[in-house]
Amino acid sequence: MSGDSTLLALLARRIREAGPISLAEYMEAALWDDRHGYYATRAPIGARGDFITAPEVSQVFGELIGLWCADLWRKMGAPEPVLVCELGPGNGTLMKDFLRAARVAPAFRCAIRLLLVERSPALRAVQQQTLAETAAWHERLDQLPPGPLLLVANEFLDALPIRQFARQKDGWHERRIGLDAAGGLAYATDAAATECKLPDWPEGSVAEICPEALALARTLGARLKDQGGAALLIDYGYFTGTPGDSFQAVSRHRRFDPLKDPGGADLTAHIDFAAFAQAAAASGARVWGPATQGDFLLALGLDERAKRLAAGKTETESQAIATACRRLIEPAQMGSLFKALALTHPDLPAPAGFGS
């Protein structure tokens, strides 16, 4: 194992002692191991990091979401205080832009009690520098105090650990991470079929489930029903369940072998929005969407906001603003791959961007 990372050596030892581990166990260790985990030890977002997210592309993204929440706050009856929470705030950029835009609704801005759910000590430190704001940090959603809630999660669900299954003649078999002949990490498949209920897809198909995402949907759905509020979740994924292996890694803005360097690259998978929506609805929330990110942002007035932002700027600056906004909405870029899903208390009217 010479030359391998410490986490690779630890995982290899675990596999030799107890057998292949699930993909979920691998993702949890690679992303969150206290000493070697990707998110536990670094702040990777931005042009100088491994990947860039929509808030880093344009300030318009966070501003529109801030106004979206201000509108919903009024529809909720303008509760004071209102808990504003972001799951996985990254560098804090989205919330910084959100709070700046919220100043156009002073009563809403004053009512906000800011809560951030973040497990990464490295990212918490960045968020504290970005946000000149009094906030409370938590590690999990269920640690939030009671009260009406407006929650935002952008590219949070895709990093939750998944399980994978391969369809064989006798049913579905879980795919795991084992060792190859040289001692490196490699995929392995259980000999026995799983008891998990999965779609009736043809032999050779791959299915993915995300237990943590479904648990989050149930918790959030029940909370919104009981205490009021709304949630906006934006991520990449699909709405109609489809077979396929979406497990991937990104390093330095490029695709990377997800088994090559555990702890050294971001690991993600596409979101099953239909399963998430179903779990949230079963717990009492009303579901809106999903809409594509492009359609959602355009409905919120992205074009008008971009024009206002460009007013008085140089031609070069105006072009940069327009290019960034196109990246957010154009189908060939982020506009179609990313989806927006809203959850609300069942009595709230349609949120902006989701029609009726």
Side-chain angles (χ1 to χ4, degrees), residues 189-346:
T189 305
D190 284 352
T194 183
E195 294 183 358
C196 291
K197 294 183 179 179
L198 294 164
D200 187 19
W201 289 337
E203 185 178 344
S205 298
V206 173
E208 297 175 340
I209 61 173
C210 186
E212 285 196 28
L214 298 180
L216 176 71
R218 288 190 288 268
T219 298
L220 193 50
R223 173 168 181 138
L224 294 177
K225 177 180 72 73
D226 294 339
Q227 301 184 46
L232 176 66
L233 304 110
I234 301 177
D235 227 308
Y236 53 87
Y238 48 87
F239 189 65
T240 302
T242 181
D245 178 0
S246 73
F247 180 51
Q248 59 188 307
V250 174
S251 178
R252 298 297 174 185
H253 303 274
R254 295 186 178 183
R255 290 289 185 94
F256 191 78
D257 181 348
L259 303 189
K260 184 177 181 180
D261 182 21
D266 186 31
L267 302 178
T268 68
H270 285 214
I271 303 307
D272 184 344
F273 281 100
F276 188 91
Q278 185 177 20
S283 294
R286 187 167 184 183
V287 177
W288 306 87
T292 66
Q293 177 174 288
D295 287 345
F296 175 68
L297 294 177
L298 286 170
L300 295 190
L302 177 138
D303 284 341
E304 180 60 30
R305 177 60 189 136
K307 289 177 184 177
R308 289 188 180 184
L309 192 61
K313 301 290 196 300
T314 66
E315 184 176 347
T316 300
E317 291 169 333
S318 297
Q319 186 60 42
I321 291 168
T323 299
C325 286
R326 284 200 303 272
R327 182 174 178 182
L328 293 177
I329 63 173
E330 287 192 355
Q333 299 193 59
M334 301 175 75
S336 292
L337 175 62
F338 285 80
K339 313 292 192 304
L341 182 79
L343 310 175
T344 68
H345 182 278

Side-chain angles (χ1 to χ4, degrees), residues 125-193:
V126 174
Q127 293 156 17
Q128 288 168 345
Q129 291 182 343
T130 302
L131 296 169
E133 188 75 23
T134 301
W137 274 263
H138 301 276
E139 290 198 359
R140 303 189 313 273
L141 176 64
D142 60 12
Q143 295 175 335
L144 301 187
L149 175 69
L150 288 167
L151 179 140
V152 176
N154 179 65
E155 291 202 53
F156 176 81
L157 299 177
D158 63 86
L160 297 179
I162 64 164
R163 295 172 65 187
Q164 265 190 1
F165 301 84
R167 182 64 186 263
Q168 299 181 6
K169 288 183 179 179
D170 62 338
W172 290 98
H173 295 247
E174 185 158 9
R175 297 183 77 196
R176 297 182 183 270
I177 308 296
L179 300 175
D180 61 20
L185 299 177
Y187 292 105
T189 305
D190 284 352

